[in-house]
Amino acid sequence: QDDEKAKRAAELVIANKELSFQDDEKAKRAAELVIANKELILQHDKIMTLAYYDMLTQLPNRWLLFDRLNQALATSARNGRRGALLFLDLDHFKNLNDTLGHDIGDLLLQQVAERLMSCIREEDTIARLGGDEFVIVLEDLSDSAIEGAAKTNDVAEKIFLTLSKPYQLKSHFYQNTTSIGATLFMGHELKPNELLKQADIAMYESKGKGRNTLSFFSSMMQEVITTRVNIENELHRAIEQEQFQLYYQVQVDHMGHPFGAEALIRWQHPKRGVISPIDFIPIAEDTGLIIGIGQWVLETACAQLKGWEQDPLTRHLTLSVNVSPKQFVETEFLAQVQATVQRYGINPTRLKLEFTESMLVDNIKEIIFTINALNEIGIKISLDDFGTGYSSLQYLKKLLIYQLKIDQSFVRDIVTDSQDEVIIRTIIAMAHSLDISVIAEGVETEAQRQLLITNGCIHFQGYLFSKPVPIDEFELLIRKIH
């Protein structure tokens, strides 16, 4: 019996060990399953992050934005309360990338993202579309459109204040502004992509107002954009079909003798007649079409100067040509001017290139080099709209400027506004001390002319002498004055 008991005990021990071993195997397999599951979860989370979040800023990307926006529209439809979509674009971000590098630009984008998060509520969404474009979805604002717009404006003001504070970008201190477009939404009245388009249009309206401001979308704004697109398309055809023409506005001295002219472009539209540059030059600037248009103007002006050389009454005239900032910063600009002057065989001292004062804000070293290089080959440089920009006197001293052009906004009220007279007198005195010529534009009355002469200005341009006219009328005018 004892042997039987011992045998059974031994069998039980062996069975228990086998069960224990099986339990160990199960435990091991369970642990392996847990680890594998965790890896799958991590991989899933990683895939979701790559799919729905921006890697640089960790903000939602376009796909997650549309998902959140659809949810916001559904919530708005249920509770009857309005929301808003804001489209943000950092002002002059390209300049930062071009001057300090993309790594510094990325640092700015990351810090902007952090600051934007502090401007919104937990239920709102901020997404980065790409580049320097951000979109904000504001939910549950109000059942009133006016109140909803007011609350949207409050958020925008907070954003302006927050983003305008200085940034520390490695060793660089940097300040930045942003332009914002906004549109309100209620339920499913519009689809997400339509709302985004509206906010984008409104943002460009803010850019057009001078940046660092908020604009709301409106149907009128949509009409403006539609007109703009049509003009852009027609501009392409205008360049191909050479629908442009130069008009000439005479420039005279204090004795009334003509010494030059300014070439001003007009668009001879086949259906709408003559279109002023005010209506198409800004669009040409934005689209880059101004490069080709500017070269056409330069070519036409040089051809005209060559023609004037054959006539004793016109061979002494100078001709001023306006140069776009975009045209000026082209790497081939200097070489193109030199080649055009040589191709037409003109006297370069008869050609004046006019630049706006506001162009002196960016890339001043390159601008000084180019302007001085043009001067060295004999081309005269005129600084247009002087007094309305931000040019430094230090830079003015370094530039080989031939002429300052007093802006017509000062000339207009010189007879009735003593402050305008003081400004003009100061500009003239400063220019003369730097041995720079001065011309006043927008002279329309004899009283203005006399007051300008009294203050030392002896060169004029304006409707008092002639409006801009086609070349045939201009040459008749020159003969009449002589």
Side-chain angles (χ1 to χ4, degrees), residues 304-319:
Q304 189 57 63
L305 279 171
K306 189 63 180 178
W308 282 348
E309 287 182 4
Q310 316 306 316
D311 190 333
L313 288 180
T314 56
R315 66 176 52 166
H316 69 286
L317 296 178
T318 61
L319 187 54

Side-chain angles (χ1 to χ4, degrees), residues 206-443:
S206 294
K207 293 281 188 185
K209 291 178 180 176
R211 298 180 170 85
N212 196 31
T213 190
L214 167 71
S215 297
F216 281 89
F217 176 83
S218 67
S219 57
M220 184 181 297
M221 197 184 306
Q222 181 70 65
E223 291 175 8
V224 170
I225 295 297
T226 301
T227 301
R228 177 191 175 89
V229 171
N230 290 337
I231 290 178
E232 181 181 342
N233 293 334
E234 290 180 344
L235 269 176
H236 283 281
R237 287 194 293 273
I239 294 171
E240 293 171 0
Q241 299 174 9
E242 297 184 355
Q243 295 175 3
F244 299 110
Q245 181 181 354
L246 287 188
Y247 277 40
Y248 301 82
Q249 187 170 32
V250 69
Q251 298 172 334
V252 302
D253 62 19
H254 63 295
M255 299 296 291
H257 298 148
F259 65 86
E262 179 179 2
L264 298 161
I265 192 170
R266 297 292 186 268
W267 181 2
Q268 299 287 344
H269 194 281
K271 294 182 179 178
R272 292 190 281 169
V274 178
I275 300 178
S276 168
I278 296 174
D279 297 323
F280 69 88
I281 288 297
I283 298 174
E285 290 271 5
D286 291 344
T287 57
L289 293 174
I290 194 66
I291 307 300
I293 293 173
Q295 182 60 28
W296 177 87
V297 170
L298 181 63
E299 298 262 356
T300 306
C302 287
Q304 189 57 63
L305 279 171
K306 189 63 180 178
W308 282 348
E309 287 182 4
Q310 316 306 316
D311 190 333
L313 288 180
T314 56
R315 66 176 52 166
H316 69 286
L317 296 178
T318 61
L319 187 54
S320 298
V321 174
N322 291 285
V323 176
S324 156
K326 282 198 172 181
Q327 185 183 4
F328 184 84
V329 298
E330 284 286 298
T331 54
E332 300 298 319
F333 173 71
L334 180 59
Q336 287 175 345
V337 173
Q338 292 173 322
T340 304
V341 168
Q342 292 173 0
R343 184 160 58 252
Y344 286 92
I346 64 167
N347 179 353
T349 63
R350 298 297 176 198
L351 178 64
K352 274 196 295 187
L353 299 183
E354 292 194 7
F355 305 92
T356 58
E357 183 186 4
S358 58
M359 195 176 69
L360 300 180
V361 176
D362 301 317
N363 303 319
I364 187 63
K365 289 184 180 179
E366 291 82 358
I367 289 170
I368 290 174
F369 172 81
T370 302
I371 287 179
N372 292 349
L374 290 168
N375 199 345
E376 286 176 6
I377 63 176
I379 296 173
K380 296 177 178 178
I381 305 300
S382 178
L383 199 56
D384 198 6
D385 300 337
F386 190 77
T388 63
Y390 310 97
S391 61
S392 163
L393 296 182
Q394 183 68 24
Y395 294 146
L396 192 62
K397 185 176 68 174
K398 295 179 180 179
L399 292 168
L400 299 177
I401 297 294
Y402 168 77
Q403 183 180 74
L404 295 182
K405 204 168 191 180
I406 301 174
D407 187 68
Q408 59 184 333
S409 62
F410 299 120
V411 175
R412 185 182 302 115
D413 299 322
I414 187 176
V415 177
T416 57
D417 191 329
S418 59
Q419 290 185 339
D420 280 345
E421 184 180 358
V422 170
I423 291 172
I424 287 177
R425 186 187 307 130
T426 303
I427 292 173
I428 294 169
M430 178 196 65
H432 288 171
S433 67
L434 295 172
D435 197 27
I436 297 175
S437 173
V438 179
I439 183 171
E441 65 177 346
V443 181

Side-chain angles (χ1 to χ4, degrees), residues 53 60 63-73 124-126 137 139:
Y53 288 87
W63 305 112
L64 187 52
L65 167 67
F66 273 73
D67 182 66
R68 297 270 182 88
L69 185 51
N70 274 316
Q71 293 179 31
L73 295 179
D124 299 326
T125 297
I126 297 179
V137 181
E139 297 191 53

Side-chain angles (χ1 to χ4, degrees), residues 116-122 124-126 136 138 155 158:
L116 286 175
M117 290 297 295
S118 68
C119 296
I120 64 168
R121 304 163 301 176
E122 188 175 346
D124 299 326
T125 297
I126 297 179
I136 298 177
L138 302 177
V155 174
K158 187 175 182 180

Side-chain angles (χ1 to χ4, degrees), residues 143-159:
D143 54 4
S144 163
I146 295 176
E147 186 178 352
K151 288 185 176 180
T152 302
N153 187 72
D154 291 342
V155 174
E157 288 299 327
K158 187 175 182 180
I159 291 171

